[in-house]
Amino acid sequence: MAFEEMDKAGIPVTFKNFPKGACGDTCEVLAEILKELGHGGFTYVAGRRKNGNSHAWLEQAGMVVDITADQFDEIYEAVYVGPKNGWYQQFEVQQEHEAGYRRLDPRSVAELSAVHFKIKAWLNA
């Protein structure tokens, strides 16, 4: 997978141990890539479970797109695309907004643009 195999030099620390701790930034970059590929806009959803674990994923028309859920011990799929199942329903939603890093502050846009560029280069290699 591109996020796991890309060159980690010069990118935000959140991607160093992908998928652990990378869900938020990954959603923002993945949303831009999916939009470029013609899949439309996504919603960024972030929540917290009662045990304190937080997580973020993308949603569109009732479907979840999540490439970082496998950071949790109970998830074995590297990529989940499907309905919002019971695992996601454990999270109390704390944030929901249009996904994509271009709406963020200039520093975040620059950092996540670099990741976006590396992912696109990896995909086109």
Side-chain angles (χ1 to χ4, degrees), residues 78-101:
V79 174
Y80 177 77
V81 177
K84 191 171 188 176
N85 61 29
W87 189 78
Y88 292 95
Q89 293 170 358
Q90 295 176 44
F91 291 86
E92 179 182 338
V93 174
Q94 296 179 318
Q95 281 188 57
E96 273 187 281
H97 55 74
E98 180 182 349
Y101 64 82

Side-chain angles (χ1 to χ4, degrees), residues 7-68:
D7 175 17
K8 302 283 195 299
I11 63 171
V13 68
T14 54
F15 292 97
K16 301 289 183 187
N17 295 313
F18 183 90
K20 294 185 187 282
C23 53
D25 285 348
T26 297
C27 285
E28 301 292 20
V29 174
L30 182 60
E32 297 286 354
I33 292 168
L34 291 171
K35 190 182 302 182
E36 285 177 356
L37 293 172
H39 298 287
F42 285 81
T43 300
Y44 174 104
V45 182
R48 184 171 301 279
R49 292 195 289 191
K50 290 180 182 176
N51 67 3
N53 292 135
S54 62
H55 188 50
W57 60 90
L58 297 174
E59 288 188 17
Q60 182 189 68
M63 297 296 284
V64 170
V65 176
D66 189 351
I67 65 170
T68 62

